[in-house]
Amino acid sequence: MTQPTGAADADAAEPAAAALRPEPVRPRRRARVHRAWWVAAVTFVTIIGAAAFRSLPGILVDPLQDDFGWSRGTIGAAVSVNLALYGLTAPFAAALMDRFGIRRVVATALVVIALGSGLTVWMESAWQLILCWGLLVGLGSGSMALAFAATVTNRWFTERRGLVTGVLTAAAASGQLIFLPLLSWIVETYDWRPAAVTVALAALAVVPFVWLLLHDHPADVGQKPYGAKEFVPKPAPVPGAARRALAVLRSAVRSGPFWLLAGTFAICGASTNGLIQTHFVPAAHDHGMPLTAAASLLAVIGVFDVVGTIASGWFTDRFEPRRLLAVYYALRGVSLLFLPMLLAPSVHPPMIFFIVFYGLDWVATVPPTLALCREHYGDDSAIVFGWVLASHQVGAALVAFLGGAARDTFGSYDVVWYASGALCAAAALMALVIRRRPAPTLGLS
């Protein structure tokens, strides 16, 4: 049977029409977010939660003195133990994470912090404050020092390390901005005990996220580090890392630059964590400033320290680090000499200028100090910087105690501000004395 001509033409035209018809657009498969970003997010949240217990000591000075009659020197002693342990634990934190894994160390540290903060609710004697807030919280916070962010960045990222490090550094300032006004409001509205419980709950709330999402290494989930070209196997536990840290310390103490760097950084810690972070709020309260207003000013410092650190890193790439350190310490010392004249019952423009300036200078000393460690100690620079950081916290611990004792003795903090200004001037001179010529890389024999 012959097919009609029209039907044959239609059959012939069908393939041609199909060729001209646009193909249906298939939905693109959404790119999966690399697991490294989830790990970085959990680290960010953990550091923000950690800012709660870093924010509380300065707020508790007056309430504890009113409740128990303890001197500011006694309260400062507990804070000094906390700061000292934070620094002395830091050089070994990376070794602990290499041996037992990031997740176990951080989760355990958070539980220890929650235990130490929560137990303060039932304390009745000063030694219990030193045990809970000084020993337990100090050890827990020291296990999550700068080594935490550095270990996460080094293991999970090959690209964007600078960005991730900057964001994780900003987390501490962001947490301070969140928790300082909140905790001070709780103390003023209710009591210091609900504030201590809030810190404990903040630490515990992060533990499930750490345990479920904070994997120790990309190999644990079958992935490459972000930006890596090849798969990186998980390294075996390193039981000898702590011994190496001590061996590097033994070699470093024989060199002059180490003592100059450690000395300047000890004064850095004394004039920031030990002085301003611990005693600024009670000092402002002595002059009639409300607790919440003083704590909010301290929180603003945390915002500007991020800007100052980034700018200091840019300067360190372009100018001589030791001269930068001298300028930073000199300007900090001058600002401290003016602070007694700025404290008043209300916030006024000169005080705001001081807060912004001090925030910009708060941790601006870190990039040039780290650059000088690299220049003088080469492959061992990271471990040397860990010990220099420990001196930072020891300096902070001494001034946290001595500042409170001076307030008890003289009735005001004026002598503390002037003495700290003089120390910063000494640090500026010490920075200029550091020699330019790099020393040989330390041996471990």
Side-chain angles (χ1 to χ4, degrees):
M1 184 176 179
T2 305
Q3 187 177 12
T5 305
D9 292 341
D11 290 342
E14 178 102 18
L20 295 174
R21 190 183 304 130
E23 293 188 11
V25 178
R26 296 180 179 178
R28 292 183 178 180
R29 187 178 180 181
R30 296 180 63 182
R32 293 182 61 189
V33 177
H34 195 283
R35 185 67 66 89
W37 294 110
W38 289 108
V39 172
V42 174
T43 306
F44 184 87
V45 172
T46 304
I47 294 174
I48 285 182
F53 52 83
R54 300 290 300 148
S55 303
L56 193 57
I59 301 173
L60 291 186
V61 174
D62 285 326
L64 291 177
Q65 188 176 32
D66 295 339
D67 248 19
F68 298 100
W70 299 335
S71 68
R72 297 200 182 189
T74 300
I75 299 169
V79 178
S80 70
V81 172
N82 177 294
L83 292 172
L85 285 176
Y86 178 90
L88 294 173
T89 306
F92 301 98
L96 289 172
M97 292 178 185
D98 286 340
R99 179 67 179 89
F100 299 105
I102 300 174
R103 178 167 55 181
R104 290 180 181 177
V105 172
V106 173
T108 302
L110 288 167
V111 172
V112 170
I113 289 164
L115 182 65
S117 182
L119 287 177
T120 57
V121 174
W122 291 283
M123 68 183 177
E124 296 179 351
S125 302
W127 69 266
Q128 294 169 334
L129 175 66
I130 295 174
L131 174 65
C132 294
W133 201 261
L135 181 63
L136 293 179
V137 177
L139 286 174
S141 59
S143 299
M144 296 194 309
L146 292 179
F148 176 34
T151 302
V152 168
T153 304
N154 290 341
R155 289 188 183 184
W156 282 90
F157 291 87
T158 299
E159 296 180 354
R160 307 291 180 89
R161 282 181 173 176
L163 172 65
V164 175
T165 302
V167 170
L168 295 181
T169 303
S174 303
Q176 183 170 294
L177 179 63
I178 293 168
F179 281 105
L180 264 173
L182 173 63
L183 293 174
S184 62
W185 175 81
I186 292 173
V187 171
E188 279 198 329
T189 307
Y190 301 101
D191 188 22
W192 65 268
R193 290 175 179 84
V197 172
T198 300
V199 171
L201 293 177
L204 288 177
V206 182
V207 173
F209 296 97
V210 169
W211 195 257
L212 295 174
L213 300 175
L214 189 60
H215 296 282
D216 293 327
H217 196 275
D220 291 341
V221 291
Q223 290 192 346
K224 298 180 292 187
Y226 181 83
K229 304 300 182 184
E230 299 177 354
F231 183 81
V232 178
K234 184 177 180 178
V238 185
R243 286 195 297 273
R244 180 168 183 254
L246 292 172
V248 170
L249 175 64
R250 285 195 297 270
S251 297
V253 295
R254 302 191 191 106
S255 64
F258 173 81
W259 291 107
L260 291 170
L261 288 169
T264 56
F265 222 43
I267 294 173
C268 177
S271 55
T272 52
N273 299 84
L275 180 65
I276 296 297
Q277 188 168 20
T278 304
H279 294 293
F280 176 80
V281 172
H285 195 53
D286 283 348
H287 287 75
M289 184 179 293
L291 192 66
T292 306
S296 298
L297 289 176
L298 194 59
V300 172
I301 287 179
V303 177
F304 283 94
D305 77 2
V306 177
V307 179
T309 305
I310 295 172
S312 179
W314 188 86
F315 289 141
T316 302
D317 290 336
R318 290 159 176 80
F319 301 101
E320 191 177 344
R322 66 191 189 101
R323 294 187 183 276
L324 286 177
L325 283 179
V327 171
Y328 294 158
Y329 286 120
L331 292 177
R332 183 182 298 181
V334 170
S335 68
L336 286 172
L337 296 178
F338 281 98
L339 182 57
M341 295 178 282
L342 301 179
L343 292 169
S346 59
V347 180
H348 48 86
M351 174 57 77
I352 295 175
F353 177 80
F354 171 84
I355 291 297
V356 172
F357 176 83
Y358 217 82
L360 292 173
D361 194 43
W362 186 270
V363 288
T365 55
V366 172
T369 300
L370 186 54
L372 287 169
C373 285
R374 273 196 302 267
E375 177 183 330
H376 285 275
Y377 300 108
D379 293 339
D380 294 325
S381 61
I383 298 176
V384 173
F385 179 72
W387 288 110
V388 171
L389 178 64
S391 74
H392 180 281
Q393 294 305 114
V394 170
L398 287 173
V399 171
F401 168 69
L402 294 175
R407 168 63 175 79
D408 294 332
T409 303
F410 301 106
S412 77
Y413 283 101
D414 288 357
V415 67
V416 182
W417 308 129
Y418 296 139
S420 298
L423 282 175
C424 289
L429 294 176
M430 291 166 65
L432 292 176
V433 171
I434 300 173
R435 66 175 183 267
R436 296 183 187 181
R437 188 171 58 186
T441 303
L442 296 175
L444 298 179
S445 57

